[in-house]
Amino acid sequence: MKAVLNWLDHRTGIRAVLHSALYEHIPGGARWRYVWGSTLVFAFVVQLVTGVFLWMAYSPSGHTAWESVYYIQNEMQGGWLLRGLHHFMAQAMVILLAFHLMQVVIDGAYRAPREVNFLLGLILMQIVLGLSLTGYLLPWDQKGYWATRVATNLMGLVPVVGTQLQKLVVGGADYGHHTLTRFFALHAGVLPGLLIGFLVLHLAIFRRHGIHAPDPHRRPDTTFWPDQILKDSVACLAVLAVVLFVVVRLGADLGAPADPSHEYSAARPEWYFLFLFQFLKLFEGGGETGELIGGIVVPFLVLLALFAMPWVGRWKLGHRFNVGLLLCLLAGIGVLTAQALYADNRAQWAGKPSTTADKDSPEVKRYEASSGYLRARHHAELEAKRVLELIENNKGIPAGGALTLLRDDPKTQGPRLFARWCASCHLHDDSPEIFGQPSAPDLTGFGTRKWIAGLVDPKQVDGPHYFGNTSHNGENGGQMVEFIKTTMPELEPADVAQAVAALSAQAQLVSQHDMDKIDAAMIQEGIEQIELLGCIDCHKFRGLGDLGTAPDLTGYASREWLLGMISNPAHERFYGDNNDRMPAFAANPDDPRSNILSPKDLELLVDWLRGEWYRPPRAKR
Amino acid sequence: MQSSRESTDLGPGLEAAGTRRRGFLSRIAAVVVGSLVALVPMAAGLLTFFDPLRSRAKGGGDGRSNRGRLVRVAPLDALSADGVPRQFQVIADRFDAWNRFPDESIGVVYLRRVPGSDEVQAFNATCPHLGCFVSFKADRGMYQCPCHESAFKIDGAMIHPTPSPRDLDELETKVKDNAVWVWYQDFYTGKEQKKPKT
């Protein structure tokens, strides 16, 4: 063994290299405060290792980035651990950077002759932050996509070359394949390459000047190996343990795939950039100049102040100034971060403002902004879960990407379409938007037995959930309201219940499938009741009665019925001339382009109203 | 350093001057050749890297741009007469590098009929501040951005104080055969001037 080593040493000088690496002199003994640099190197190595393995499974393009990350996270053996380590170690690195910087500044380790190394350290910090920023986009989920839009738009504010710079980074004017390829090349190639280069310089210069011991006589001198290495390893172990704990407890999250055509109201940068996000809010009303100052000039000046520390530190009070400045900066970052978190969460932390509060008061506005954010975040979480269900149902992701699954999903698209087209008049419990006073029936559970039972209830029929706010209400002499109010109390409740079940069965709702099957005999009798109770005096039902006065009850609330009704409520099969303000959303089946709703949107809306969407087996009713 | 040492070693004379000249030429040549071999691959890389800056024909004239296009967005009937705006997807062929996606959303707009007239206003839904999508709050009758709380009146005008540097970006519209057509464009954000993205 020794002979081999001798042979090798003769040709490479390895012993001297090892010796100088391990027996670095440490005046005043090994200390815990020296560990930060080593933990950072460790964290970087973890990122390098996990990053390369992630690379082996990652595919940067608009149709494959999210999909490949999904596959790593949910399908590949140990993928959650690999990605979790990479995801959270990146965040740990930012914290460790802050500690390392604090230790260096407080100890005055930037002083001559270590100025250059301090500057190299600050450059390394920029590179690490650049890695975070570029890495955030790569999963191509909603939050990464929208946060990166904001970040790259900030870049566009740089004077003179801003827009060009933005185009170069984004890979064009639009976000797409080339944004991913470029960000990935930066993240996995350019920045780590630079980081390694600067790290080598940083360490070489560190070795050249030796460790900066603020108190060199506190204990006997020692060497790097084994005392300091032991402390460093323990610190690295602690970092790893914390990261692993977070990986197991929280796991790296993956939002729904990026959708450039759908607003994402929960767009926020990663937590360690939140202070910058909040800082921009301080420049409200400053216009372009304010934006430039807040987004570019101030951060640049702060960096400049950091870079100037070694020279400022030469003055009599310079060191104190530097320490003060750093602590102020960190405190400022802390306050801004807390403000940002509070602004977003105040709706759940501070509670609702009193109902008497002025609608335009800042408090109400802030509350609304916060509850809007929380709602958006909740929806984002639901959507992220939903896409997994859809992938499972589809037994994989189509070539067009996971977004196509969400775009074809009634459960996802229904509430959006409803909010856009129906919510200005109708209510629905599952639609996020509520626009003032409803002027048409509540469509929650439309066609179910419960809904129809309410319709034929004399107490409810003229209420806000049915005809109360329509032109068919009692005030306007609506015939249905009058019929229900006068005739219903005289009827046998059991007969009415049979009729309700029979009418509801016409809808063939998935949610009532089992119930309808069990109650088949009752439904059969109910069909006769519909005819006996006088419904067919106005409505058509299974060959009896006539069209033209009231909606056809044949197939009432069925898919085909609803498609027709929404397409053209003024058709004689529905409300005819009695139609109250409801627009025809697809009046021209032969020319879909001239219709308000496309055939696909119409079907998605109807399927959602009827509760027809894929449900994973465990949630199946 | 090297050359001065050489010349002292050799002492003054014609021969030394020749060596100096040769040394000088060698250095120049080494720098030129060295730079050349280093620059060629770098230049090839940069040339491609700068491709996004290549000015494409204005208005998507090369047929491969997502903007600067007149797109039929909605039938006029889809807009309510009371002037409340509605959100619409702008559906057209979408381009992304090597891909063409027929009939996909290339952007989102708000359309509103100006009450009491046939005029239709169109706004790009992208917030002029930093590019999030604004949403219309019907109860407040204004557009709000979820990111930095920029707010705009129903006609797109800024509501002060706001971080936005300008009003919502209005787009040109045309009503033809009962359909609303919009000249769809995106604009650079954060600037007081509306500068179209090309």
Side-chain angles (χ1 to χ4, degrees):
Chain A
M1 187 66 197
K2 203 172 172 193
V4 174
L5 262 182
N6 282 339
W7 181 89
L8 196 66
D9 185 46
H10 192 65
R11 281 152 186 84
T12 60
I14 192 162
R15 278 213 176 94
V17 173
L18 273 177
H19 189 270
S20 73
L22 292 175
Y23 294 97
E24 161 85 7
H25 178 69
I26 302 182
R31 297 187 71 176
W32 286 109
R33 64 193 304 155
Y34 302 148
V35 300
W36 301 117
S38 301
T39 55
L40 272 171
V41 173
F42 164 71
F44 176 59
V45 171
V46 170
Q47 294 307 78
L48 218 57
V49 172
T50 52
V52 167
F53 282 109
L54 282 169
W55 190 344
M56 293 182 195
Y58 177 70
S59 170
S61 88
H63 282 164
T64 56
W66 186 92
E67 289 72 9
S68 60
V69 175
Y70 151 81
Y71 198 70
I72 294 170
Q73 181 75 28
N74 297 292
E75 302 286 342
M76 290 180 79
Q77 177 172 281
W80 64 274
L81 178 65
L82 180 68
R83 182 163 169 262
L85 274 173
H86 197 77
H87 182 81
F88 288 110
M89 192 57 91
Q91 308 187 19
M93 232 170 143
V94 176
I95 299 173
L96 294 172
L97 261 176
F99 283 131
H100 188 46
L101 181 66
M102 267 166 74
Q103 174 242 330
V104 166
V105 172
I106 290 171
D107 284 354
Y110 52 71
R111 288 201 188 99
R114 296 185 175 81
E115 300 99 318
V116 173
N117 220 18
F118 183 74
L119 301 189
L120 287 173
L122 289 177
I123 291 170
L124 283 165
M125 181 172 88
Q126 304 303 307
I127 297 173
V128 171
L129 293 179
L131 281 163
S132 304
L133 200 72
T134 46
Y136 200 51
L137 174 79
L138 297 181
W140 204 241
D141 57 356
Q142 279 285 68
K143 100 188 142 107
Y145 174 85
W146 287 95
T148 305
R149 259 176 85 124
V150 172
T152 49
N153 279 331
L154 270 176
M155 203 171 282
L157 296 178
V158 172
V160 191
V161 292
T163 49
Q164 279 82 358
L165 198 65
Q166 190 185 347
K167 266 189 177 177
L168 282 182
V169 170
V170 170
D174 286 310
Y175 300 81
H177 296 323
H178 272 174
T179 317
L180 279 161
T181 52
R182 280 176 185 239
F183 268 61
F184 187 51
L186 279 173
H187 186 79
V190 178
L191 291 173
L194 284 173
L195 199 142
I196 291 172
F198 279 100
L199 188 61
V200 166
L201 286 177
H202 194 61
L203 292 176
I205 295 180
F206 164 70
R207 280 303 165 99
R208 181 185 165 91
H209 299 305
I211 198 159
H212 170 87
D215 187 8
H217 305 297
R218 70 190 269 282
R219 269 191 210 154
D221 293 1
T222 182
T223 49
F224 190 53
W225 172 261
D227 295 354
Q228 188 62 43
I229 287 196
L230 177 64
K231 284 196 162 63
D232 287 355
S233 323
V234 171
C236 293
L237 183 66
V239 170
L240 185 63
V242 171
V243 168
L244 276 175
F245 176 77
V246 181
V247 173
V248 174
R249 275 305 287 269
L250 295 179
D253 67 330
L254 177 64
D259 184 353
S261 67
H262 185 66
E263 74 252 40
Y264 180 66
S265 303
R268 295 291 181 265
E270 194 65 298
W271 60 265
Y272 42 81
F273 286 127
L274 263 183
F275 74 96
L276 279 174
F277 168 86
Q278 185 70 14
F279 188 62
L280 278 183
K281 288 191 192 165
L282 300 179
F283 292 84
E284 209 172 69
E288 191 178 330
T289 328
E291 208 61 18
L292 184 67
I293 292 173
I296 312 260
V297 176
V298 174
F300 182 75
L301 287 178
V302 167
L303 270 180
L304 213 61
L306 291 178
F307 274 95
M309 276 186 173
W311 291 275
V312 173
R314 289 180 177 185
W315 296 340
K316 209 174 160 196
L317 292 173
H319 179 61
R320 286 192 186 174
F321 174 82
N322 283 339
V323 175
L325 177 72
L326 184 70
L327 294 181
C328 283
L329 280 178
L330 290 175
I333 288 172
V335 168
L336 285 170
T337 308
Q339 273 182 346
L341 289 174
Y342 183 73
D344 282 345
N345 291 288
R346 64 179 292 138
Q348 58 180 22
W349 291 347
K352 223 174 168 159
S354 71
T355 43
T356 54
D358 178 17
K359 205 177 83 149
D360 291 319
S361 69
E363 177 161 3
V364 173
K365 282 187 176 167
R366 284 192 202 119
Y367 174 82
E368 280 180 11
S370 165
S371 53
Y373 165 80
L374 291 172
R375 212 168 36 234
R377 204 175 62 181
H378 176 67
H379 278 286
E381 281 162 13
L382 291 182
E383 211 170 292
K385 273 194 202 128
R386 181 64 183 161
V387 72
L388 299 187
E389 292 174 1
L390 294 172
I391 292 171
E392 199 182 312
N393 180 41
N394 195 56
K395 297 186 177 66
I397 300 171
L403 198 57
T404 54
L405 291 173
L406 281 172
R407 285 186 175 158
D408 293 343
D409 176 33
K411 192 188 180 200
T412 309
Q413 300 303 328
R416 293 180 187 171
L417 288 164
F418 188 87
R420 193 172 300 159
W421 296 112
C422 319
S424 49
C425 300
H426 293 278
L427 285 178
H428 193 293
D429 285 356
D430 294 336
S431 169
E433 312 281 333
I434 299 149
F435 294 163
Q437 187 71 9
S439 58
D442 186 336
L443 296 179
T444 316
F446 179 68
T448 57
R449 289 188 195 179
K450 189 180 164 210
W451 193 92
I452 292 174
L455 176 70
V456 299
D457 177 356
K459 285 196 212 85
Q460 292 187 53
V461 66
D462 206 16
H465 291 290
Y466 294 95
F467 289 123
N469 296 326
T470 70
S471 66
H472 305 293
N473 64 8
E475 210 180 299
N476 288 314
Q479 288 179 358
M480 180 71 178
V481 170
E482 198 195 325
F483 172 79
I484 298 288
K485 280 186 164 174
T486 53
T487 320
M488 270 305 144
E490 296 164 13
L491 300 175
E492 206 48 56
D495 294 347
V496 176
Q498 283 177 348
V500 165
L503 185 55
S504 181
Q506 294 287 308
Q508 296 181 314
L509 295 171
V510 193
S511 60
Q512 296 188 157
H513 181 260
D514 295 344
M515 207 154 66
D516 285 351
K517 222 163 145 184
I518 296 165
D519 295 339
M522 174 185 167
I523 286 166
Q524 203 49 50
E525 283 175 49
I527 288 174
E528 283 166 36
Q529 288 297 345
I530 291 177
E531 293 158 11
L532 292 171
L533 294 176
C535 304
I536 53 168
D537 293 349
C538 299
H539 297 274
K540 186 172 183 228
F541 183 60
R542 289 162 52 105
L544 297 169
D546 295 310
L547 290 179
T549 40
D552 187 0
L553 297 184
T554 320
Y556 185 74
S558 65
R559 190 171 194 270
E560 181 270 335
W561 189 94
L562 263 172
L563 287 171
M565 168 71 190
I566 298 172
S567 295
N568 188 7
H571 189 275
E572 65 160 3
R573 192 182 157 200
F574 304 101
Y575 281 91
D577 295 339
N578 296 326
N579 178 40
D580 174 20
R581 291 170 287 174
M582 176 154 164
F585 286 93
N588 308 310
D590 305 328
D591 180 17
R593 273 166 62 89
S594 68
N595 292 333
I596 299 175
L597 280 177
S598 69
K600 185 181 157 189
D601 284 351
L602 189 61
E603 288 183 22
L604 286 167
L605 183 61
V606 165
D607 287 342
W608 174 71
L609 281 171
R610 292 171 38 78
E612 273 184 26
W613 59 73
Y614 168 73
R615 289 173 176 81
R618 60 188 172 280
K620 235 173 211 166
R621 261 178 273 174
Chain B
M1 289 296 271
Q2 193 81 18
S3 87
S4 68
R5 212 181 308 145
E6 272 171 21
S7 54
T8 22
D9 287 351
L10 283 167
L14 265 177
E15 205 178 327
T19 315
R20 250 200 323 271
R21 230 182 355 261
R22 263 204 310 285
F24 178 72
L25 283 175
S26 314
R27 257 169 272 149
I28 293 283
V31 167
V32 168
V33 173
S35 309
L36 210 64
V37 294
L39 278 180
V40 168
M42 195 63 190
L46 285 177
L47 206 62
T48 315
F49 179 74
F50 283 111
D51 172 75
L53 297 186
R54 190 159 52 100
S55 65
R56 300 191 191 271
K58 203 183 167 215
D62 61 356
R64 298 217 42 195
S65 169
N66 287 334
R67 59 185 62 77
R69 276 190 278 176
L70 191 62
V71 184
R72 178 182 168 143
V73 174
L76 190 60
D77 302 340
L79 307 183
S80 60
D82 57 4
V84 173
R86 264 208 172 106
Q87 199 195 72
F88 291 88
Q89 302 282 343
V90 180
I91 305 290
D93 286 1
R94 186 171 77 81
F95 299 97
D96 182 2
W98 52 86
N99 279 135
R100 179 174 74 88
F101 304 100
D103 293 336
E104 259 208 22
S105 169
I106 59 165
V108 178
V109 291
Y110 279 96
L111 297 184
R112 75 182 280 261
R113 211 188 277 212
V114 179
S117 81
D118 280 344
E119 198 196 324
V120 173
Q121 272 190 313
F123 299 103
N124 193 318
T126 306
C127 179
H129 179 220
L130 285 173
C132 300
F133 275 178
V134 298
S135 44
F136 183 73
K137 303 285 174 201
D139 51 340
R140 288 191 172 273
M142 63 188 201
Y143 309 88
Q144 275 179 334
C145 180
C147 286
H148 297 86
E149 290 159 32
S150 297
F152 307 88
K153 288 184 201 151
I154 203 164
D155 62 358
M158 289 182 271
I159 299 173
H160 293 284
T162 173
S164 176
R166 59 171 192 260
D167 298 339
L168 273 185
D169 295 321
E170 192 166 349
L171 300 167
E172 281 174 45
T173 59
K174 197 165 90 176
V175 178
K176 200 173 76 184
D177 303 334
N178 206 38
V180 182
W181 293 68
V182 174
W183 180 263
Y184 183 72
Q185 273 182 314
D186 277 327
F187 301 89
Y188 283 104
T189 60
K191 317 250 174 207
E192 270 152 31
Q193 295 298 319
K194 251 168 90 175
K195 186 182 166 203
K197 282 188 178 178
T198 48

